[in-house]
Amino acid sequence: MKKIIFTEKAPAPIGPYNQAVLSGNTLYASGQIAINPASGELVTENILDETKQVMENIAAILEAADMTFENVVKATIFIMDMNNFAAINTVYGSYFNEKTAPARETVQVACLPKNVNVEISIIAVQ
């Protein structure tokens, strides 16, 4: 059985999907972009702030599912420009304990929703 996870502390879905789905003890979170949930505005002034907003959106979803970044077992990062990898990685890494960080891949893509620079999705387990 699946349970839909929703929080107003993260951006509302902009299509036919949910912020996250909890199936058993596994949380599947949709890709998050840098939409500030309070204003609905994109945070794209610089890649550090953009990545931080993405990670804060993920944090809100994890909290809604009674989890933390310690529960994350897999992450996928989609970026528009691999030259931003180091900056994105610095912000992303600040949310994890390096010794228990999740498995991950980072992929450069041609385009992302709303022409953002980074999108991140996660899988977490209770």
Side-chain angles (χ1 to χ4, degrees), residues 8-15 17 19 31-44 49-58 60 113-114 116 118-119:
E8 291 187 8
K9 294 179 182 178
I14 55 175
Y17 62 91
Q19 290 171 333
Q32 293 298 303
I33 61 174
I35 296 174
N36 179 318
S39 68
E41 299 294 320
L42 282 172
V43 177
T44 57
D49 290 344
E50 185 172 350
T51 306
K52 181 173 175 33
Q53 184 63 61
V54 170
M55 295 303 288
E56 289 299 311
N57 292 344
I58 293 169
K114 297 190 176 276
V116 297
V118 60
E119 178 176 3

Side-chain angles (χ1 to χ4, degrees), residues 61-81:
I61 292 167
L62 286 165
E63 180 183 349
D66 295 321
M67 295 189 199
T68 70
F69 282 102
E70 282 297 311
N71 295 98
V72 177
V73 296
K74 180 75 165 65
T76 303
I77 303 175
F78 302 98
I79 61 177
M80 290 287 294
D81 183 351

